[in-house]
């Protein structure tokens, strides 16, 4: 790690010269080492495409000798295929500057070996020991940190880095063929760089070792006993030839300059051993120069390659060493929050390590949640993806049928019970339902993401970031209209492009607006009067504004409001509304972005209104794109959590499943697929029933992500199928009618028409379907057997009864095994429609093939929007149908699998940034209201323990 080259001149060859015994020795052993390392690097690159061992050399100052030695190392690294990076700090660098640089290199996953060149040539006082120990031990390829030195001193040779010079000396000794064990070895010198570690190394190779130094009074006598002599004292020719035992191996690590008038420089280089006389007695001896120095550099390269191999072994994608939590099941099953709080989650940094994430790729938010940097995806880009599984469901009751619970149960079964690498990727829930009527979305029973209170509440603040970004856009829209209505063109221009010390300059986003307008000018003074008018006037038509303010709370009284009533707004008021945050287009943008750059472009493309000419007005036109990206820069990082049984979970994004696509983020799926490896599984969930969430998962999410699913898991319940068979109305918060509590095979069989249709819908995309029958305690064996039979007859690959809610992963093992088998079958995935088709044709295909409609009917407003969006260039976007989730049709009262109906399209809206058009089928509420008795009545905080109570 810290490398001081006081002993080693530049030389291309290693020499261990034979003494009188005439044993020949190659002068190119260090070259042999380099050739071997070169081949290892080639094999490493073949096995892990895109990978390359990395060495960092940190230098402070500009000493000539240091520059010389660093160049030797850089040259050797280049020859071997190691990526070497020379970081040079000025001699004005402080200790804090050096430590900051070290911290950065410690966290850089591309750096596997790291040395600090000594001496530190700084004008400022720097504690070398502190610098030494600041380097991460796993990158300390010079082996001089206290941790590595301590491991060496206690004999942990396989778990530490050995300083390069002693390591090189040991290699030279081994190459003589003479056994070290049982020999008497003498080390002259006690430095941390050579003497002390050389003593330890010889000792743990079973030599009897004596350490001497310049103050040893019986030095000649001790030297005369040595079978192996290593000298690193720093004194010219201190050890005389006549002291040496005949036949001894002599390793001279010293380098000293003595006067010599025959040399042009007036001096010559000698070692610590009187070479001319010593060579007559030694069996092997290293010359100076050209002996130990090249071997030291070779060992530095070897340690770097070894470090890279350890890195690959530890962080190899698909190779997990994960600790699972064992469940203690109770009957009756306690409340969700009781179960969640009865298990202590693993520290989230442990979970990150277990799945192969690097420390610098993880940003901790306390002990139980973390954000994962997108650099992980870049690092893993050449790794194969795992198997991609989507969990969806039949058309549900208002109570939901347990898709989230099944998702968690499936990953717990695959991971904790079948020992497969598996990740769950789920949506972040809105706080609206959490405090409203539905409750949280962390799963339930013994299949939960924990801590469930963290999951269901603020998490890491992503939804709050979206709220802030969305409302910034809304404020910008109204402010721009106000200023345009109250100022002249020139006044607007003077304020939009202000003078700073007499200089006016366009911002980057203003340059983009000029280019969009066809004005290719960058000098604010060069615009004509007409160009100034074009630039400053967005001329928004208030009647076309589609951008609303948002809040992550259910509040029915914000569904329609009047804004601008203050006197300061000079009478410029208008009718507006609040939506719930998760319905914001920015949430959909977050979910579909594949990186920061893509997110920024999508944010800039969002259309907020049309101008009075019917042209779209975007957030980029408002000048707010960069600010939105800043607000969203942390939200784009997926959130890492865990299940009750310790399997990893990404919680990221939570777009509405009606006016948006209802799926978690593309980025979370992509990172997870790389982390699990080619034999692992990523299980994600699509919102609502298969006709909504799954269809959008395939036609929108998979279209943008480029990912291809392997299996559909379709969740069904006996109670929902009875409802579809004609059972009484199911209402949230009201006890279930007796028909749902008693066996009724006829009612159930009739309702299986919905199951059959949703299986058909999934198979339409060419993906095998496994039906998960989510069992409730009131379901009978005959009822569950009937559902399994009906599912298989309808074309499901398999159908399995699951009891994971009560039993955790154990209750979903059969489901997991069925998913494993299904994932081995061919997946002939295909999209339902070509996006280049006319908008009406795409809507018709979805309505007829997925819903079972006879045809569609576009109401006048929808017809106008088709013409408008086609004219504006948005006709090639995919379709995101906004309809009720309680029926395959537009009418929530129509259960089962209705056919022959006409699907009415009331209106069509555009989420251009997210990348889809969403036709409105009936009335869609984007701001839920609170019921008579909301969930918040039961939610409380224990002031003593700080525990949250009452969430479900």
């Amino acid at each position: 790690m810290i490398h001081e080259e006081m002993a080693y001149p530049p030389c291309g060859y290693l020499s261990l010269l034979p003494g009188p015994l005439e044993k020949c020795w190659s002068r190119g052993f260090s070259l042999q080492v380099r050739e071997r390392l070169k081949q290892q690097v080639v094999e490493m690159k073949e096995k892990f495409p895109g990978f390359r061992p990395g060495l960092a050399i940190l230098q402070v100052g500009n000493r000539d000798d240091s520059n010389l030695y660093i160049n030797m190392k850089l040259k050797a690294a280049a020859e071997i295929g190691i990526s070497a990076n020379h970081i040079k700090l000025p001699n004005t660098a402080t200790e804090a500057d050096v430590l900051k640089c070290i911290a950065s290199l410690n966290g850089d996953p591309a750096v596997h070996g790291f040395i600090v060149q000594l001496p530190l040539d700084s004008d400022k006082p720097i504690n070398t020991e502190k610098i030494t120990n600041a380097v991460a031990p796993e990158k300390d390829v010079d082996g001089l940190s206290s941790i590595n030195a301590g491991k060496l001193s206690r004999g942990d040779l396989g778990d530490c880095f050995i300083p390069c010079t002693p390591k090189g000396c040991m290699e030279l000794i081994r190459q003589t063929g003479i056994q070290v064990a049982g020999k008497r070895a003498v080390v002259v010198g006690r430095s941390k760089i050579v003497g002390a570690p050389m003593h330890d190394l010889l000792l743990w190779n079973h030599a009897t070792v004596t350490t001497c130094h310049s103050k040893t009074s019986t030095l000649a006598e001790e030297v005369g006993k040595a079978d192996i002599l290593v000298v690193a004292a720093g004194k010219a020719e201190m050890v005389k030839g006549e002291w040496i035992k005949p036949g001894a191996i002599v390793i001279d690590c010293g380098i000293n300059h003595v006067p010599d008038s025959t040399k042009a420089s007036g001096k010559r280089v000698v070692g610590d051993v009187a070479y001319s006389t010593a060579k007559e007695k030694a069996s092997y001896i290293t010359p100076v120069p050209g002996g130990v120095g090249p071997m030291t550099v070779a060992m530095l390269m070897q340690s770097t390659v070894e470090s890279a191999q350890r890195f690959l072994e530890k962080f190899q994608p698909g190779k997990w060493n994960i600790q699972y939590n064992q469940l203690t099941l109770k009957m009756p099953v306690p409340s969700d929050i009781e179960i969640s709080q009865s298990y202590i989650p693993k520290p989230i940094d442990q979970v990150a390590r277990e799945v192969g994430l690097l420390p610098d790729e993880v940003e901790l938010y306390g002990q139980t949640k973390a954000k994962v940097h997108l650099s992980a995806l870049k690092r893993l880009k050449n790794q194969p993806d795992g198997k991609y599984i989507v969990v969806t469901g039949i058309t549900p009751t208002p109570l939901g049928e347990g898709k989230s619970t099944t998702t968690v149960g499936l990953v717990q079964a695959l991971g904790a019970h079948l020992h497969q690498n598996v990740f769950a990727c789920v949506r972040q829930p809105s706080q609206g339902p959490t405090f409203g009527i539905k409750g949280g979305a962390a799963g339930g029973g013994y299949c939960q993401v924990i801590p469930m209170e963290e999951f269901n509440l603020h998490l890491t603040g992503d939804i709050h970031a979206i709220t802030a970004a969305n409302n910034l856009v809304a404020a910008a829209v109204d402010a721009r209209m106000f200023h345009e209505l109250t100022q002249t063109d020139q006044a607007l221009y003077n304020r939009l492009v202000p003078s700073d010390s007499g200089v006016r300059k366009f911002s980057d986003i203003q340059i983009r607006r000029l280019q969009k307008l066809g004005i290719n000018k960058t000098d604010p003074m060069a615009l004509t009067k007409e160009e100034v008018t074009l630039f400053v006037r967005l001329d928004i038509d208030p009647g076309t504004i589609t951008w609303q303010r948002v809040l992550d709370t259910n509040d029915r009284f914000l569904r329609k409001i009047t804004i601008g009533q203050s006197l300061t707004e000079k009478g410029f008021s208008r009718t507006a509304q609040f939506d719930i945050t998760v319905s914001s287009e920015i949430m959909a943008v977050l979910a579909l972005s594949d990186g920061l750059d893509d997110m920024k472009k999508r944010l800039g493309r969002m259309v907020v209104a049309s101008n009075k000419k019917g042209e779209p007005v975007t957030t980029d036109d408002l000048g707010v794109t960069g600010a939105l990206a800043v607000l969203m820069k942390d939200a784009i990082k997926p959130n890492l959590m865990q299940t009750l049984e310790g399997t990893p979970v990404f919680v990221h994004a939570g777009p509405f499943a009606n006016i948006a696509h209802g799926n978690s983020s593309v980025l979370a799926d992509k990172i997870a697929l790389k982390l699990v490896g080619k034999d692992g599984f990523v299980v994600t969930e699509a919102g609502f029933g298969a006709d909504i969430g799954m269809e959008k998962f395939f036609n929108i999410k998979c279209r943008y992500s480029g990912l291809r699913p392997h299996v559909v898991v379709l969740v069904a319940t006996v109670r929902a199928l009875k409802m579809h068979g004609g059972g009484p109305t199911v209402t949230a918060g009201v006890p279930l009618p007796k028909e749902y509590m008693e066996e009724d095979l006829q009612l159930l069989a009739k309702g299986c028409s919905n199951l059959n249709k949703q299986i058909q819908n999934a198979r339409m995309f060419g993906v095998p379907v496994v039906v998960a029958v989510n069992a409730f305690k009131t379901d009978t064996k005959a009822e569950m057997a009937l559902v399994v039979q009906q599912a298989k007859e309808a074309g499901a690959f398999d159908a399995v009864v699951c009891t994971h809610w009560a039993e955790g992963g154990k209750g979903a093992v059969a489901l997991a095994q069925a998913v494993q088998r299904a994932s081995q079958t061919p997946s002939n995935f295909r999209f339902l429609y070509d996006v280049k088709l006319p908008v009406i044709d795409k809507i018709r295909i979805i309505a007829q093939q997925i819903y079972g409609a006879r045809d569609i009917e576009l109401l006048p407003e929808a017809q106008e929007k088709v013409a408008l969006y086609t004219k504006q260039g948005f006709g090639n976007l995919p379709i995101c149908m906004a309809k009720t989730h309680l029926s395959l049709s537009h009418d929530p009262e129509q259960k089962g699998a209705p056919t022959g109906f006409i699907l009415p399209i009331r209106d069509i809206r555009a989420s251009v940034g997210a990348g889809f058009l969403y036709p409105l089928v009936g009335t869609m509420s984007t701001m839920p209201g609170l019921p008579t008795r909301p969930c918040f009545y039961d939610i409380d905080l224990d002031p003593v323990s700080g525990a949250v109570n009452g969430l479900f």
Side-chain angles (χ1 to χ4, degrees), residues 76-89:
E79 289 174 358
I80 291 167
I82 294 171
S83 175
N85 184 20
H86 179 197
I87 302 97
K88 202 169 188 177
L89 299 181

Side-chain angles (χ1 to χ4, degrees), residues 482 564-572:
F482 172 78
Q565 293 193 10
S566 170
L567 293 177
T568 56
E569 273 45 78
K570 303 179 182 180
F572 295 106

Side-chain angles (χ1 to χ4, degrees), residues 333-559:
V333 177
S335 70
D336 290 350
I337 196 161
E338 283 181 73
I339 294 172
S340 175
Q341 292 178 348
S342 67
Y343 289 89
I344 299 174
K346 294 179 290 187
I348 201 65
D349 57 338
Q350 177 186 333
V351 176
R353 287 194 305 273
E354 288 175 342
V355 301
L357 288 165
L358 306 181
D360 72 308
E361 294 169 344
V362 180
E363 188 177 331
L364 302 180
Y365 278 65
Q367 294 295 310
T368 58
K369 53 191 177 181
K371 280 198 165 290
V372 174
H373 290 247
L374 306 190
S375 58
L377 185 58
K378 183 179 179 181
R379 173 174 66 87
L380 298 166
K381 64 181 180 181
N382 292 313
Q383 299 304 320
D385 288 344
K387 301 295 175 61
Y388 197 26
I389 316 300
V390 60
V391 176
T392 184
I394 62 170
T395 305
T397 67
L399 306 176
E401 308 318 305
K403 291 193 310 297
S404 298
T405 304
T406 302
T407 298
V408 176
L410 176 56
V411 297
Q412 289 183 169
L414 283 166
H417 298 268
L418 299 181
H419 305 292
Q420 302 295 307
N421 293 351
V422 62
F423 239 106
C425 292
V426 299
R427 290 182 294 166
Q428 180 183 354
S430 165
Q431 287 182 175
T434 299
F435 291 104
I437 192 169
K438 181 178 178 290
Y446 287 101
C447 297
Q448 295 187 54
V449 180
I450 58 170
M452 66 94 79
E453 57 269 42
E454 297 283 351
F455 177 92
N456 285 313
L457 298 176
H458 305 284
L459 197 57
T460 57
D462 294 351
I463 291 181
H464 300 315
I466 291 166
T467 302
N470 183 98
N471 292 344
L472 179 61
V473 176
V477 169
D478 287 303
R480 185 59 176 261
M481 288 195 301
F482 172 78
H483 292 307
E484 287 187 24
L485 287 167
T486 56
Q487 298 179 49
T488 64
D489 291 355
Q490 194 57 48
L492 276 170
Y493 192 62
N494 290 342
R495 288 180 171 87
L496 287 170
V497 193
S499 174
D500 184 7
S501 302
V503 178
R504 302 177 81 172
K505 184 181 178 182
F506 291 121
S507 66
D508 291 343
I509 201 165
Q510 289 176 325
I511 293 288
R512 288 205 299 273
R513 171 152 174 79
L514 287 169
Q515 291 170 345
K516 178 179 177 180
L517 294 169
I519 303 171
N520 296 313
K521 296 177 181 179
T522 56
D523 181 1
M525 304 305 293
L527 268 64
T528 66
K529 185 178 179 180
E530 292 76 16
E531 288 170 341
V532 166
T533 300
L534 276 173
F535 175 73
V536 302
R537 297 283 170 189
L538 297 182
D539 210 16
I540 293 171
D541 179 353
T544 66
I545 295 172
T546 55
W547 197 269
Q548 309 298 344
R549 288 164 173 81
V550 298
L551 187 70
D552 195 36
T553 302
N554 289 5
D555 191 343
R556 66 177 64 247
F557 286 92
L558 294 178
R559 289 170 177 168

Side-chain angles (χ1 to χ4, degrees), residues 628-787:
L628 298 180
V630 169
L631 285 169
M632 294 294 293
K633 69 180 179 64
D634 291 319
I636 198 171
K637 305 167 192 170
N639 303 296
L640 179 65
M641 295 187 77
Q642 63 192 288
T643 67
L644 278 168
E645 296 193 51
T647 58
V649 181
F650 275 139
V651 185
H652 199 216
F656 249 29
N658 47 24
I659 68 166
H661 63 291
N663 287 267
S664 59
S665 79
V666 165
L667 278 169
D669 290 0
K670 284 189 170 183
I671 295 173
L673 284 164
K674 296 297 183 186
L675 287 170
V676 298
K678 65 183 180 66
D679 297 321
F681 294 85
V682 170
V683 182
T684 190
E685 177 193 344
F688 293 152
D691 55 308
I692 298 180
M694 183 198 70
E695 182 269 317
K696 295 173 183 179
F697 171 80
F698 289 142
N699 282 320
I700 298 176
K701 184 176 181 179
C702 291
R703 196 183 297 269
Y704 281 121
S705 70
L707 300 174
R708 299 294 178 260
H710 293 81
V711 182
V712 170
V713 173
L714 185 70
V715 180
T717 62
V718 167
R719 75 179 180 195
L721 293 173
K722 284 182 175 179
M723 178 192 71
H724 287 295
T729 300
V730 175
T731 305
V734 176
L736 283 171
K738 65 180 181 62
E739 287 85 350
Y740 297 101
M741 315 296 284
E742 299 171 355
E743 184 176 291
D744 190 333
L745 297 179
Q746 186 176 356
L747 188 67
L748 178 62
K750 187 178 177 184
C752 282
S753 60
N754 185 270
L755 172 66
N756 298 346
K757 175 57 178 166
Q758 298 290 30
I759 291 171
Q760 178 189 333
N761 285 343
R763 295 187 67 202
M764 206 175 294
F765 293 90
V767 183
V769 183
V770 174
V771 172
V773 183
N774 188 17
F776 287 74
K777 61 182 179 181
T778 53
D779 300 341
T780 68
K781 289 183 178 180
E783 287 176 327
M784 291 185 286
L786 177 60
V787 177

Side-chain angles (χ1 to χ4, degrees), residues 194-244:
V194 182
M198 193 71 231
H199 172 280
D200 293 336
L201 198 53
L202 286 163
L203 181 67
W204 293 112
N205 277 275
H206 311 298
T208 301
V209 189
T210 301
T211 296
C212 301
H213 44 80
S214 59
K215 303 298 183 185
T216 302
S217 58
T218 57
L219 183 59
E221 180 182 339
E222 295 298 334
V223 168
K225 299 174 184 176
D227 300 312
I228 299 168
L229 177 65
V230 181
V231 187
K235 287 193 174 184
E237 300 184 330
M238 184 178 91
V239 174
K240 309 305 178 185
E242 57 268 24
W243 297 357
I244 294 171

